[in-house]
Amino acid sequence: MKKKSLRVYFVEYEDGRRTGTLMRTWDTFFDRPAPSAYGATTEDVLDELESQLEERRITEQDVVERYLWEEHFETSTVKVAIFPLSSVAKRPVIGKKEIPLLLTYAHCPLAGGGHRVMVPRFGAWFVVEELSLAPHLLRHMVTTSLLGEKPRWVYDLRRVGAEYVREWSPPAITRTRPAARAAEEAPPEQLARVADDLTALATRGKLPRVVGEPALRRDVEAYSLRPRPPSLLLVGESGVGKTTLVRALAQLHAARRRGKTKDAPRIFSTSRDRIIAGMIYLGMWQERCVAIVKELSEEGDVLHVDALSGLLTVQADGASIADFLEPALASGEIRVLTECTQAELERARRTRPGFVARFEIVRVEEPSPEATVELLSHYVRHKGGIAAHAAALKRLVRHLAMLERSVAFPGKGFRFVDWLAQQAAGAGDGKAKTYYPRDVSEAYSRYSGIPTSLLSDDISAGAGELADMLRARVVGQDAACDACGRLLARFKANLVDPERPCGTLLFVGPTGVGKTELAKQLARTTFGGEDRLVRVDMSEYQLPGSARRLLEVGPGVRSLATLVRQSPLSLVLLDEIEKAHSDVFDLLLGVLGEGRMTDASGRFVDFRTTIVIMTSNVGTSEARPVGFGEAGDQEAARASAVVRSVRAHFRPELFNRIDHVLPFRSLALSDVARIVELELDAARKRPGFARRQVRLVTTDRARAKLAELGYHPTRGARPLRRVLEEKVMTPVATRMAEDPTFRDRTVVVVEDGEDAGGRAWVVRV
């Protein structure tokens, strides 16, 4: 028995374009028009027809069997006379003008006798005993139907070019799978080892729920319904929903496999690391790639790889996974879904343009703030255990847009909602908490470490108040604290440049005057603790080639790129920047100018939510005030001299990317005396004192003596900590180590010769 196939009735036009209409074996009374398509080439028409037919089959609006034929059609023409509408005395009449037309029709013999005659352009068909009757019947039928009709109807039937019937057997429509291949069939051997069957997971309800816009779902469905879906490259920023698209596609395929369409392809998801895992000997991972290609080509399934960069990464032997996939991609044997950002796409086009050309690029755009709020609202209802007011979600979107710029919406919003749900579950009271705007700010403060005073509009914190917070730990540098307070005010008002770091400051001054301490206090005030301070000693990067170490990635690596990627809300402290090699300055141009760095693996590191502080002592030795004049005037002159020295030392393109150059003045003895109390306050919080309930008290004369011992004209307060450890901490520690009963005591620190007032235990300095 001859295998059935489709029949397409083609009509070519003068410009070379053509239409194709599927011919069907039977009609119903309320039939929709048969699938029809228009295109520049025959392949374009066939692709569109297959898509339409597949869509009807999936939605159960039609069945393929209506379009399958065994008969072979030929075409013939017949001349037909038309008498169109005319007018006599403004009255419509059948005209006397005869317009001859050449009408093409298709015909085929029937197995039981007779002939089927079809006019697809006219939407008519009939069966005749002898084929010779067909011209007479067609003349009568068409002439009668168009008798007295408007002349424009004539043009619908005029012969414009060749008309013919083509037999067609598209694989996606006509192939069938054995009944044993059910939705839970066993995956191929190699794919089972390195990939997850997303379609099977979706069938069992194990895939995360897809929350997305209707347009996104329509795009996924349209891709799935195409007769020969191409390999796709999903391009969008991290968090925008590229992987969600893949999950939605897997869920659609799972639904089709549960229904009547058993041949919907499965989607296997993997990564570069999983493909090469365990492949320790030469040729092993290459052999696995060949086996994967073979299994995909035999089964017609789809391979999802989480990152395009993983496919292009060159292994130790000089080859990449892309080298083994590209021939099969070029021939259409396999289909691959993969993802990348726009920056990664541009880099891939430079390095492997041929491989990128094998994919159809689909751009996944970030939703608008309004759409994001709606998505978050749906997601919150889905999570359960929490509720959020619409105004709270708007504030959350604002916080996330400002402070998590390296991740796109809606992903970063979903991640925060997941964290909120975990917090609610941990509370264990079983009540759903409703979040209002202030609640969201407080929760995000706990989530990010940023104080609510910088997050919430409900809390007032001006530049002066923020500067006072910095002065609590930084002594003698009021001008620098005021400048940093103004920076924090811009940060709170969300008026910082979104395409640069939140602030770029250069602290210039002699050693021991508080440059590093102000950086630490700024990290505490802005990001909640010193653990958010990424400190790099630039004296370690003086040699040629050392700049590469800032970009290193990999397990256990603690480079600048790795640390900032792990903690994008951080303060980056580049100590002694003037000692770095010129290559480091070239690298910093991108960081300070655009807030971005490219690591050793080619991935971007986002610095746009960091504060970058550089320290230097350039020009401080030459900038001491001399001569007569007010102290304020001398200090201003010294600061100007420092700025001139900095401008002369650093390249203009680097200097011009610095927001503020802040000169630090040398400390006076009175400043060091204030620092003594701050250091002793910190010492009182040490675990040893707290565990034994030992209290530390100092007299005014003792603090003055310690300040005198810890002060140096050129090194500032740098020797102070050593003095405190030697003169105060060591004697107390020695006594506590010798006497286990030394508890609940008061230790008094006095100047040598000072009367201790008969107190229990005294330390003399």
Side-chain angles (χ1 to χ4, degrees):
M1 182 178 179
K2 183 179 178 182
K3 187 176 181 180
K4 292 184 178 182
S5 58
L6 303 177
R7 302 292 182 268
V8 184
Y9 189 82
F10 278 97
V11 179
E12 294 186 356
Y13 299 95
E14 295 176 354
D15 61 357
R17 293 180 175 269
R18 64 210 66 204
T19 59
T21 304
L22 279 179
M23 301 167 62
R24 54 192 172 198
T25 56
W26 78 83
D27 300 309
T28 61
F29 187 75
F30 294 105
D31 244 340
R32 298 169 57 188
S36 181
Y38 175 74
T41 66
T42 300
E43 291 303 316
D44 292 341
V45 173
L46 295 179
D47 286 347
E48 176 61 24
L49 287 175
E50 189 168 1
S51 177
Q52 291 184 34
L53 191 57
E54 182 75 351
E55 180 180 6
R56 293 189 182 197
R57 181 173 65 165
I58 292 170
T59 56
E60 299 184 355
Q61 297 176 349
D62 212 339
V63 291
V64 178
E65 287 71 22
R66 298 179 66 190
Y67 301 91
L68 296 178
W69 299 83
E70 294 180 354
E71 294 82 2
H72 173 72
F73 280 89
E74 294 182 355
T75 56
S76 302
T77 59
V78 59
K79 184 178 291 187
V80 180
I82 305 297
F83 297 89
L85 184 70
S86 184
S87 177
V88 175
K90 298 183 180 181
R91 183 179 302 167
V93 298
I94 298 173
K96 66 177 181 179
K97 184 178 180 180
E98 179 182 341
I99 299 178
L101 292 180
L102 281 179
L103 181 66
T104 303
Y105 61 96
H107 52 87
C108 69
L110 298 177
H115 293 77
R116 180 190 289 265
V117 178
M118 304 186 72
V119 188
R121 294 180 63 190
F122 198 55
W125 67 273
F126 52 85
V127 177
V128 294
E129 185 176 0
E130 294 288 343
L131 187 58
S132 59
L133 297 175
H136 304 290
L137 293 173
L138 287 171
R139 290 191 192 100
H140 178 74
M141 181 177 66
V142 175
T143 301
T144 303
S145 298
L146 298 183
L147 186 64
E149 290 290 344
K150 294 180 180 180
R152 62 182 179 86
W153 284 96
V154 175
Y155 293 97
D156 292 338
L157 287 173
R158 75 189 190 281
R159 181 180 175 86
V160 293
E163 299 182 30
Y164 55 92
V165 178
R166 172 172 169 174
E167 298 182 8
W168 181 41
S169 301
I173 297 296
T174 58
R175 76 164 180 258
T176 57
R177 289 189 172 190
R181 298 287 300 279
E184 295 295 330
E185 61 188 315
E189 179 182 358
Q190 288 297 335
L191 287 172
R193 293 178 179 175
V194 302
D196 298 321
D197 186 346
L198 297 185
T199 311
L201 292 174
T203 301
R204 299 194 298 269
K206 299 297 185 181
L207 277 187
R209 181 173 179 265
V210 173
V211 178
E213 297 177 281
L216 179 141
R217 293 178 177 272
R218 287 195 298 270
D219 291 343
V220 172
E221 185 172 352
Y223 165 78
S224 174
L225 295 177
R226 292 167 68 172
R228 286 181 291 275
S231 293
L232 286 190
L233 177 57
L234 306 177
V235 181
E237 297 307 310
S238 175
V240 78
K242 301 186 295 295
T243 305
T244 300
L245 269 172
V246 178
R247 289 206 305 266
L249 184 59
Q251 290 174 346
L252 177 63
H253 285 199
R256 290 169 55 188
R257 293 171 71 85
R258 287 194 298 267
K260 296 181 179 180
T261 312
K262 301 301 182 183
D263 60 344
R266 293 169 296 180
I267 299 178
F268 291 93
S269 182
T270 187
S271 65
R272 177 190 71 92
D273 292 338
R274 293 184 66 179
I275 291 175
I276 65 174
M279 304 288 99
I280 59 176
Y281 298 113
L282 184 64
M284 289 184 67
W285 72 266
Q286 294 92 330
E287 185 178 354
R288 172 174 282 178
C289 288
V290 172
I292 290 173
V293 169
K294 183 175 184 295
E295 291 176 353
L296 289 171
S297 60
E298 289 177 348
E299 303 296 329
D301 293 322
V302 181
L303 181 68
H304 168 242
V305 183
D306 63 350
L308 174 66
S309 58
L311 296 177
L312 301 180
T313 300
V314 177
Q315 305 304 316
D317 61 354
S320 67
I321 297 174
D323 294 332
F324 294 88
L325 298 184
E326 186 169 4
L329 283 172
S331 64
E333 295 178 52
I334 66 172
R335 282 177 290 160
V336 175
L337 301 179
T338 188
E339 310 168 18
C340 71
T341 64
Q342 178 61 33
E344 291 169 342
L345 174 62
E346 294 171 359
R347 188 164 55 253
R349 279 174 167 164
R350 291 193 298 268
T351 57
R352 292 292 298 271
F355 185 73
V356 175
R358 307 301 179 191
F359 293 86
E360 180 176 312
I361 294 176
V362 175
R363 300 193 179 277
V364 186
E365 303 293 343
E366 189 174 30
S368 65
E370 295 77 13
T372 301
V373 170
E374 184 177 353
L375 288 172
L376 289 176
S377 178
H378 289 305
Y379 195 69
V380 167
R381 289 196 297 269
H382 166 68
K383 292 298 292 186
I386 58 173
H389 192 273
L393 294 178
K394 290 180 181 178
R395 179 172 290 191
L396 172 61
V397 169
R398 193 181 70 204
H399 289 335
L400 292 170
M402 173 186 175
L403 298 170
E404 295 192 25
R405 299 174 194 162
S406 60
V407 182
F409 285 114
K412 55 188 174 185
F414 293 163
R415 184 172 61 186
F416 180 75
V417 171
D418 289 340
W419 180 83
L420 274 185
Q422 290 174 359
Q423 297 294 306
D429 54 9
K431 298 180 180 179
K433 179 179 179 180
T434 300
Y435 285 85
Y436 294 95
R438 183 158 188 164
D439 299 323
V440 163
S441 294
E442 292 173 353
Y444 191 77
S445 175
R446 299 193 304 272
Y447 178 76
S448 65
I450 298 177
T452 53
S453 58
L454 293 181
L455 279 176
S456 177
D457 293 338
D458 304 326
I459 301 175
S460 173
E465 297 173 72
L466 295 169
D468 289 340
M469 296 170 64
L470 299 175
R471 276 192 283 266
R473 287 283 302 174
V474 180
V475 176
Q477 307 299 343
D478 290 350
C481 289
D482 289 339
C484 291
R486 292 192 293 272
L487 169 65
L488 292 182
R490 291 199 304 274
F491 181 84
K492 175 177 172 61
N494 196 14
L495 292 178
V496 295
D497 188 341
E499 298 304 321
R500 296 186 60 212
C502 297
T504 303
L505 308 176
L506 176 60
F507 293 171
V508 186
T511 184
V513 297
K515 300 189 297 296
T516 301
E517 186 58 41
L518 179 54
K520 291 180 179 179
Q521 184 65 5
L522 196 57
R524 297 187 198 104
T525 305
T526 311
F527 302 114
E530 285 186 39
D531 58 327
R532 294 294 183 88
L533 188 145
V534 177
R535 185 172 181 176
V536 182
D537 186 353
M538 303 311 289
S539 63
E540 300 178 3
Y541 299 88
Q542 300 183 61
L543 301 177
S546 58
R548 290 196 297 269
R549 291 192 285 117
L550 295 171
L551 309 176
E552 290 178 349
V553 294
V557 173
R558 295 184 56 80
S559 66
L560 176 60
T562 300
L563 292 174
V564 172
R565 175 173 286 120
Q566 293 171 351
S567 182
L569 290 171
S570 59
L571 187 144
V572 177
L573 177 61
L574 306 177
D575 255 339
E576 299 183 294
I577 186 65
E578 76 279 2
K579 295 182 179 179
H581 191 269
S582 59
D583 291 346
V584 175
F585 294 142
D586 293 336
L587 186 151
L588 290 178
L589 293 179
V591 172
L592 304 184
E594 300 175 359
R596 295 195 173 197
M597 170 192 285
T598 305
D599 66 19
S601 67
R603 297 171 60 198
F604 277 120
V605 183
D606 198 335
F607 280 76
R608 292 177 297 173
T609 52
T610 65
I611 295 176
V612 180
I613 292 180
M614 298 169 283
T615 68
S616 174
N617 58 14
V618 168
T620 56
S621 59
E622 297 86 1
R624 299 184 181 280
V626 294
F628 301 96
E630 297 292 335
D633 295 338
Q634 292 189 24
E635 191 62 35
R638 187 191 69 84
S640 269
V642 168
V643 174
R644 286 196 300 271
S645 298
V646 169
R647 185 185 293 273
H649 183 274
F650 293 104
R651 292 154 48 183
E653 57 268 30
L654 181 67
F655 182 85
N656 292 333
R657 284 170 166 81
I658 299 173
D659 296 333
H660 300 286
V661 177
L662 302 180
F664 280 55
R665 70 176 181 85
S666 299
L667 296 178
L669 184 58
S670 59
D671 297 323
V672 179
R674 292 172 55 196
I675 296 173
V676 168
E677 189 57 35
L678 292 175
E679 292 294 331
L680 289 174
D681 282 342
R684 292 184 182 102
K685 298 175 183 177
R686 294 184 182 182
F689 285 133
R691 186 173 64 252
R692 295 201 182 191
Q693 298 181 346
V694 174
R695 296 167 293 280
L696 184 66
V697 178
T698 57
T699 65
D700 293 341
R701 289 176 55 182
R703 288 194 296 273
K705 182 64 175 180
L706 290 170
E708 182 181 346
L709 294 173
Y711 174 70
H712 192 279
T714 59
R715 290 188 290 161
R718 182 76 66 181
L720 180 60
R721 288 184 178 176
R722 177 182 54 79
V723 169
L724 292 176
E725 293 296 328
E726 179 183 340
K727 299 294 185 180
V728 179
M729 294 297 109
T730 299
V732 175
T734 301
R735 177 59 190 274
M736 293 173 67
E738 292 174 347
D739 184 3
T741 65
F742 191 82
R743 296 174 178 275
D744 195 18
R745 303 285 186 90
T746 297
V747 176
V748 182
V749 182
V750 299
E751 185 184 15
D752 192 15
E754 183 182 3
D755 183 11
R759 305 200 181 182
W761 204 77
V762 177
V763 175
R764 298 184 179 277
V765 295

